[in-house]
Amino acid sequence: MQFFDSHAHYNDEKFSEDREEILKSIYDSGVTKLICAGYDIASSKEAINIANLHEYIYATAGISPNDIPGKNFNEVLSKELNEIKELAKNKKVVGIGEIGLDYYWNKENKWEQKHAFKKQIELANELNLPIIIHTREAVYDTLDILKNEITPIKKGVFHCSPLNLDLIREGLKLGFYISFAGPITFKNSKNADEAIKAVPLDRILIETDSPYLAPEPHRGTRNDSRNVKYMAEKIAKVKEMPLAEIAKITYENALKLFVN
Ligand code: NI
């Protein structure tokens, strides 16, 4: 069985001690494709370095809503957008992200978050790349931008999708994929089964978002891509399908969105 972890951060400092060792164990465990996601300039560069060193790894480049500039916002942002544009020319870069809105960590700069999000969708359109959306406590503003302000031409994915049925239904209508992470395995997550049922098989992706959000039964530890099977197991259970089928379907979906 092979798995595709559609979102992880081996560019995070939590992997700086043992990155190469972990990346080898991951591949050997059957996770034969993964995407290392950037969230600012430095982490996007590092994601590309890692992807360049490992054939099975792809990268994304982008500025997350929690990493947008504070001082001299417009000036710094336009400089950073140019850098992302240059970085995204690398062949291993398969998307612009993670980008989006996060009102959980930052409520004070909503205008700036929206502006940076829209600018990066424009950039993705220019480069003909899909986008990787991070949205937290900002579901309706995120949908409003996608529905009424700018259409992402190559679509993309709601990464670590909130288990919010409005978001999932509207996201699907907009042509997006839905990527499930650790929260679908948490014992206290309320909507997990309904959320999984709401996503048709041809739009489901799985991810770990490592090093964060380790799934049950490893909740609270440093996450890595070997745990992506727990997301597939949960989906297999809810959809009443064999695990191998879910592994194959999610693998092919990720290839279709990002690689082909
Ligand atoms: Ni992430």
Side-chain angles (χ1 to χ4, degrees):
M1 224 183 293
Q2 293 186 65
F3 293 93
F4 192 137
D5 182 358
S6 72
H7 192 107
H9 299 286
Y10 294 99
N11 43 1
D12 190 285
E13 61 182 18
K14 291 194 178 71
F15 292 110
S16 54
E17 301 282 305
D18 58 353
R19 181 179 299 114
E20 289 309 309
E21 214 177 299
I22 290 274
L23 289 176
K24 189 176 182 313
S25 325
I26 287 167
Y27 187 84
D28 292 343
S29 79
V31 180
T32 56
K33 298 265 180 225
L34 71 84
I35 294 177
C36 183
Y39 44 88
D40 62 8
I41 299 294
S43 64
S44 298
K45 283 184 183 163
E46 185 59 16
I48 294 167
N49 287 339
I50 293 167
N52 284 338
L53 289 171
H54 298 270
E55 215 206 318
Y56 83 102
I57 301 180
Y58 301 91
T60 71
I63 304 155
S64 94
N66 298 318
D67 295 276
I68 58 171
K71 269 189 193 164
N72 303 323
F73 173 78
N74 282 305
E75 196 185 315
V76 179
L77 182 71
S78 67
K79 193 176 144 271
E80 292 190 351
L81 290 172
N82 282 328
E83 288 189 74
I84 295 293
K85 187 175 170 178
E86 282 311 303
L87 292 173
K89 288 177 182 164
N90 185 293
K91 279 198 186 112
K92 296 300 287 282
V93 173
V94 294
I96 295 297
E98 49 192 281
I99 61 176
L101 305 176
D102 190 327
Y103 301 163
Y104 177 81
W105 289 111
N106 290 293
K107 287 184 196 61
E108 313 305 319
N109 61 351
K110 290 184 181 177
W111 184 89
E112 286 82 356
Q113 290 190 40
K114 289 180 194 170
H115 186 73
F117 183 34
K118 290 184 269 185
K119 283 296 200 189
Q120 292 184 93
I121 298 173
E122 263 173 37
L123 181 60
N125 285 349
E126 198 184 318
L127 299 168
N128 210 27
L129 287 170
I131 60 172
I132 296 87
I133 299 179
H134 167 113
T135 180
R136 190 160 182 198
E137 299 202 357
V139 163
Y140 299 98
D141 280 6
T142 304
L143 288 171
D144 182 56
I145 287 174
L146 299 173
K147 286 206 278 196
N148 304 318
E149 296 212 46
I150 178 163
T151 305
I153 295 169
K154 297 293 278 186
K155 315 296 181 196
V157 59
F158 284 93
H159 118 76
C160 190
S161 178
L163 305 178
N164 172 313
L165 296 176
D166 286 348
L167 176 87
I168 290 175
R169 290 190 189 115
E170 293 296 313
L172 288 167
K173 271 191 220 160
L174 289 163
F176 275 74
Y177 287 77
I178 304 295
S179 181
F180 290 116
I184 60 166
T185 71
F186 296 169
K187 292 186 180 89
N188 59 351
S189 78
K190 286 195 194 94
N191 288 336
D193 290 23
E194 290 86 337
I196 292 166
K197 283 179 190 156
V199 184
L201 289 169
D202 62 351
R203 297 286 195 84
I204 283 196
L205 299 181
I206 51 174
E207 65 171 81
T208 58
D209 205 13
S210 298
Y212 310 107
L213 287 172
E216 291 292 355
H218 299 299
R219 197 171 177 185
T221 64
R222 183 182 74 170
N223 199 4
D224 74 59
S225 299
R226 287 172 292 188
N227 290 331
V228 79
K229 64 173 187 273
Y230 295 108
M231 274 52 91
E233 274 171 9
K234 171 72 185 187
I235 293 167
K237 198 173 152 207
V238 172
K239 298 267 192 203
E240 298 178 4
M241 287 175 65
L243 175 62
E245 262 307 282
I246 298 299
K248 183 164 177 270
I249 287 166
T250 51
Y251 199 101
E252 282 167 2
N253 287 344
L255 279 180
K256 189 173 173 203
L257 174 63
F258 291 112
V259 183
N260 295 342

